[in-house]
Amino acid sequence: MFGFDGDFRTRPKVSLGGASRKEKKESLLLKNQLERQKREEKRREINSAVKLQCWWRASWSRQKLRKCSREQFDKLMFDSQKAKAQVSCDTLSELQGLLLSFFKERDDAERLISLCQLLIKYSELSVDSLVKDPPKWNYQAKKILLACCRLLESALHGSMPIAPPLRVMEIYTSIDTYTRHNRLSEAEAIRCVIKLTSHLIDKGYFQSIRILLDERVPSSIEMSPNPPTPIAATALELVLRPIKLTDQLKNNIELRNIVFKGLCLDLLCPSFTDQIALFLLPALAHGKYPFPFVNFLRTLIPQDTMETNQNTDTGVNHLIVWASPWLLYSLLCLGEPVVDTLAQEDVVLYLHVLKVLLPSLPNAQLLYGRQSSTMEDSDSEDEDSMATSHSEMNSVTSLQSVRDQCLQLFNSVKHVKCLLSTLNQSTQPSTLTAFCSICHTLMTQQRLYVHKSRLLSTLAFHKPFLRHLWQSLTSASARAVTGLQTPLITLLSRGSQLQPNDTNRILPLLSLFCSLFLQALITLHDAEFYGSTESNNSRSLMPFRLSELVQMSLTLRDACLGMIELAHPETKPSVTEDYMKAMTSVGVVRDIISPQDLQKQTENWAHVFKVTTQLVKQLHERDIRRQFCPDGHWLSRHISISADKSSKIHRGHHAGFARMGNLRLSNRLWTLRHSMAPAGTIVPADEDGPPMTTTEARQLTILTEMPFVVPFEERVKIFQGLLVKDKEETQGGELQNFLVGPAIDVIIRRNYIYEDAFDKLRPENEPDLKKKMRVQLVNYQGLNEAGIDGGGLFREFLSQLLKTGFDPNRGFFRTTHDRLLYPNPQACILQEDFTKHYYFLGRMLGKALYENMLVELPFASFFLSKLLGRHSSDVDIHHLHSLDPEMYKNLLFLKNYDGDVSDLGLDFTVVDNELGEAQVHELKPGGRDITVTSNNRIEYIHLMADYRLNKQIRAHCTAFREGLSNIINLDWLRMFDYHELQTLISGALVPVDVEDLKRHTNYSGSYSVDHPVIEMFWRVVESLDDKQKRQLLKFVTSCSRPPLLGFKDLYPAFCIHNGGSDLERLPSASTCMNLLKLPEFTDEELLRTKLLYAIESGAGFELS
């Protein structure tokens, strides 16, 4: 072993005294161990010293060599610049080699600039070096040009001149430099430039130009394709140089891919600065040199990738570069000038690129800080302001502005025509799926509604496309285990879990079709929808026949039910999270869904469910208005919801109905939350029992979203069950004994029944009308009427109160042409506090429903629809026919008028002739001065209908709804449509079932079921016609219609009492007790005569 002290050999120490017997074994081992460690430490120190010496000597040698090379370079450069020596190609080559041997940006930037000046001056000699020694020149040229790029980046922050390196890059990337004086052939020059260009782009050529633009071009410029400064012009030329080369060498796919990939990665994908957005991108799109847009597209999606994926239904799903919103904006800007000239195959390619890039556009809710309202049924009216809040900006340097600019370009006429050109009967499935995916993304991610998008609104009225889309939707299939092709819509209807690829195929098609056809249905009036002879069929916008709609409604109904099943699967996943962790630990790879992808899938499923159910509801509403489907069409045989079974449906309003919200996608698509609590409150956990089962969750979802698939009788039972549960809470559980429990006691004068009730039952005096109500009536002489209210007096009082309050002569309601009730628009003139009266009447009607009373109040269908509205009381133009058929007919005439509409002399005003005074109201600001023309007549029609249906009576209906909801949860009533709600209020127009009435009749006062008079009475009743039976029912119960679920629900029960032996008396009734007082007639004909006389006289509404 060697050391630095001259003693190169160490002699071992020998002890002649022998081994010490006193030293223990453990200490001896420890001593030897410490000595070994010292020797090892010494060896490490020596090795480290050797390495340090080697590094220092190498560094010192390199520095010495660089210093020597710098001195040689400086001397040679000095001689070349002073022309003391003749500059030759060898001299240039030597200078380049010397510079590359020692070049450092920090120390040698000036030397590089000096060399650049020589290379500019003696460019021809440099080309001679290429001819003489191509490998050496290529190596040196690549390094020198790359050093120039780096110098641009570092010189921007100092005073270093950048003109020489810029000029060198211009000269040596130009083909003309090498072909001048025929030094190289054109082919050789092209190969040389390709090598240099490819190397530079791989090493960040476009990134250097981007830095040059950002640092040396001012940001305060206006959008223009013209260079604002000379440096901007040079930078543009440097960007265009490789692009022009690819355009010149169309067959060189490798070069094209390198150039456009580098252009995207360094310039178009990262976030923009003002210099890129306001100058470079406009210069590329609208400059003197046409941008090779098709080559650009073919780079983003290579031809082999396109050919491979075009045969699939989903098409291309990725590009060769990362998707970004700025790349999407660049693509739209570069394509805007040429989209109308693209060949069909290039348009298809463009479509696929847009499909991949569009999801990268930031979500509208995230950008503007809004809560997701995907599952709400109403569109946000301020979406226009959200979409245009930044549209005035010239710059596209923020996510908000790039989103707005992209949506504007998507909505341009050129782009809409371009995208529509891909749609025809021969469109490939992958192309149609890509197109639908674009539209689906616009609707879900960007909340771009159909009526606010030129593209989507055009498609909504494109009859051939809608038919083709429906055909494609129903024909899209997947191979089952048996090998048979099964339609995807059928799999969805069964509640089968779809594969991700199948989901990507079916969701965009279903989403787009339902959204478009829903918009079309909203704008179609009934004459067009039903194919009336009054409508010109050649101009009709109805894309389907009624017979086709029957099958379509079944298919979509089942699809909605299938999605509900998918949302609530019967079984939990068999693979637990612990099991997946264990499998991952041994190397098993599984697909992991990121939270962003999870949220995106959730929004997609939520949107599809929303628009599909809305379309089914719209078709159902049309069928209600005028039936075109067979009886029982909407009922699903796969759904069995029975109110007789114990269910959370009857657990009060905390466990009421489910609403689509709080979406969460794991192995199920989403979970549903309770919504019976008032809006804006947190629904507590159900305290009445365990969590909902899968079956209960499905049932609650169906009752909320698609109640019409459940028979009406079952829904009535569910509704009454909800009322019973609510009464148990509010009436102290004493439902049988009317005289026990918390109650409201009121004294009412018969001749002032409405005034007294309005005063004593107003919210200030009685905030909770759900309690039992006991009434003491005062007769016309001011004396208390005899009798104790056991429930009958209250029912008679409430019946008379409702008839009085809704009497058109009182002024709060008026009748349509077919004598149906709706709020009187002029009530505000009759009563100053008219909204309080409507609130009161709403509460009273709710009380009747709450107490399971039938009242014969025929309401107009549009008014009932207002009561059932989920978000507001407004209804659309289709309900105008039930209010004013003449105006509806006139507006349809105006819509289809072929002449000059301005000749009709209409303006945007409406005249009300009420109470003998004509009043003119403007339908929109300045309406007096706006003439109705062919261009704005649709707006006029909708404004006129909105005024009559909504604006005139908005305050009336809002107050009435609030009063009704004070007693009855409106979500419970939304289980019914407006026809069914009328039935719920007034009963069904069905024949009186005498046998059912007989089974549920009580007898008193010596009468019994086998009494001769009773047997004779029932024979007479059975001989009456239906009208006379109804008169009898009205005579005894004050309502001519039987209870909805039969006479077992009549309260108090129908009762026949012995009215005495005086045969001259007429039968009388106590309607408050549903009591018929029947004398003991001995002759059947006499009984019949007396009974008919009594029931046809209309008497019997008082206590006897």
Side-chain angles (χ1 to χ4, degrees), residues 729-757:
E729 297 179 7
T730 58
Q731 298 184 2
E734 295 290 343
L735 301 183
Q736 301 300 324
N737 192 343
F738 189 80
L739 299 178
V740 178
I744 300 171
D745 295 302
V746 291
I747 300 176
I748 302 296
R749 296 172 294 176
R750 277 192 177 271
N751 51 341
Y752 295 101
I753 190 168
Y754 180 84
E755 291 77 5
D756 286 357

Side-chain angles (χ1 to χ4, degrees), residues 854-870:
L854 296 180
V855 288
E856 294 189 67
L857 295 173
F859 292 107
S861 61
F862 83 91
F863 175 64
L864 294 175
S865 297
K866 284 174 165 290
L867 300 182
L868 297 176
R870 191 175 296 278

Side-chain angles (χ1 to χ4, degrees), residues 80-140:
S80 300
Q81 289 177 342
K82 298 301 182 181
K84 292 182 179 180
Q86 180 65 34
V87 177
S88 64
C89 59
D90 294 334
T91 305
L92 287 179
S93 178
E94 184 179 359
L95 285 171
Q96 292 180 86
L98 288 171
L99 181 68
L100 294 176
S101 66
F102 63 78
F103 181 73
K104 286 185 176 294
E105 291 183 17
R106 184 181 57 186
D107 301 326
D108 303 306
E110 293 184 359
R111 292 182 175 88
L112 176 60
I113 291 175
S114 300
L115 180 60
C116 288
Q117 292 171 345
L118 277 184
L119 292 175
I120 296 170
K121 184 176 180 181
Y122 301 106
S123 59
E124 297 178 358
L125 293 178
S126 179
V127 176
D128 291 339
S129 299
L130 170 60
V131 176
K132 186 176 180 180
D133 191 353
K136 181 179 179 181
W137 187 92
N138 281 322
Y139 173 80
Q140 292 179 345

Side-chain angles (χ1 to χ4, degrees), residues 147-172:
C148 290
C149 289
R150 298 291 181 262
L151 183 63
L152 288 179
E153 300 178 14
S154 60
L156 296 174
H157 305 287
S159 58
M160 195 70 64
I162 61 173
L166 280 176
R167 182 59 180 154
V168 166
M169 294 172 63
E170 284 184 296
I171 292 175
Y172 288 92

Side-chain angles (χ1 to χ4, degrees), residues 90-344:
D90 294 334
T91 305
L92 287 179
S93 178
E94 184 179 359
L95 285 171
Q96 292 180 86
L98 288 171
L99 181 68
L100 294 176
S101 66
F102 63 78
F103 181 73
K104 286 185 176 294
E105 291 183 17
R106 184 181 57 186
D107 301 326
D108 303 306
E110 293 184 359
R111 292 182 175 88
L112 176 60
I113 291 175
S114 300
L115 180 60
C116 288
Q117 292 171 345
L118 277 184
L119 292 175
I120 296 170
K121 184 176 180 181
Y122 301 106
S123 59
E124 297 178 358
L125 293 178
S126 179
V127 176
D128 291 339
S129 299
L130 170 60
V131 176
K132 186 176 180 180
D133 191 353
K136 181 179 179 181
W137 187 92
N138 281 322
Y139 173 80
Q140 292 179 345
K142 289 178 182 179
K143 295 296 184 180
I144 293 296
L145 292 178
L146 184 59
C148 290
C149 289
R150 298 291 181 262
L151 183 63
L152 288 179
E153 300 178 14
S154 60
L156 296 174
H157 305 287
S159 58
M160 195 70 64
I162 61 173
L166 280 176
R167 182 59 180 154
V168 166
M169 294 172 63
E170 284 184 296
I171 292 175
Y172 288 92
T173 55
S174 173
I175 297 177
D176 294 338
T177 302
Y178 306 97
T179 58
R180 192 179 300 120
H181 305 302
N182 297 322
R183 282 180 169 79
L184 291 177
S185 65
E186 185 174 359
E188 293 174 330
I190 289 174
R191 283 196 298 270
C192 179
V193 173
I194 288 175
K195 290 179 181 179
L196 293 176
T197 302
S198 301
H199 178 77
L200 289 177
I201 293 175
D202 283 340
K203 299 300 182 180
Y205 171 78
F206 288 116
Q207 179 67 25
S208 300
I209 299 176
R210 180 190 180 100
I211 295 175
L212 173 66
L213 279 171
D214 294 344
E215 297 295 336
R216 288 301 180 95
V217 177
S219 59
S220 56
I221 57 176
E222 295 184 357
M223 181 176 286
S224 172
N226 301 318
T229 63
I231 291 182
T234 303
L236 176 61
E237 178 59 30
L238 290 175
V239 172
L240 288 175
R241 183 69 57 81
I243 296 175
K244 292 178 180 178
L245 186 62
T246 62
D247 200 22
Q248 184 177 352
L249 306 174
K250 296 183 184 297
N251 296 327
N252 195 325
I253 298 177
E254 183 180 359
L255 174 66
R256 183 191 72 193
N257 292 342
I258 291 174
V259 171
F260 286 116
K261 184 178 180 180
L263 180 70
C264 291
L265 293 177
D266 293 335
L267 288 177
L268 304 183
C269 287
S271 59
F272 285 172
T273 57
D274 287 337
Q275 292 84 345
I276 303 293
L278 303 180
F279 162 62
L280 183 62
L281 194 58
L284 292 176
H286 305 284
K288 298 179 181 179
Y289 183 79
F291 186 81
F293 186 68
V294 175
N295 289 340
F296 182 57
L297 293 177
R298 292 174 181 173
T299 299
L300 295 176
I301 300 181
Q303 185 175 0
D304 54 347
T305 304
M306 189 68 185
E307 292 175 354
T308 302
N309 291 276
Q310 200 164 8
N311 296 325
T312 64
D313 287 347
T314 54
V316 180
N317 294 316
H318 62 277
L319 307 178
I320 66 168
V321 296
W322 57 284
S324 79
W326 287 277
L327 180 58
L328 173 62
Y329 175 69
S330 302
L331 184 75
L332 292 171
C333 289
L334 295 173
E336 182 73 11
V338 296
V339 288
D340 52 350
T341 62
L342 294 178
Q344 185 67 24

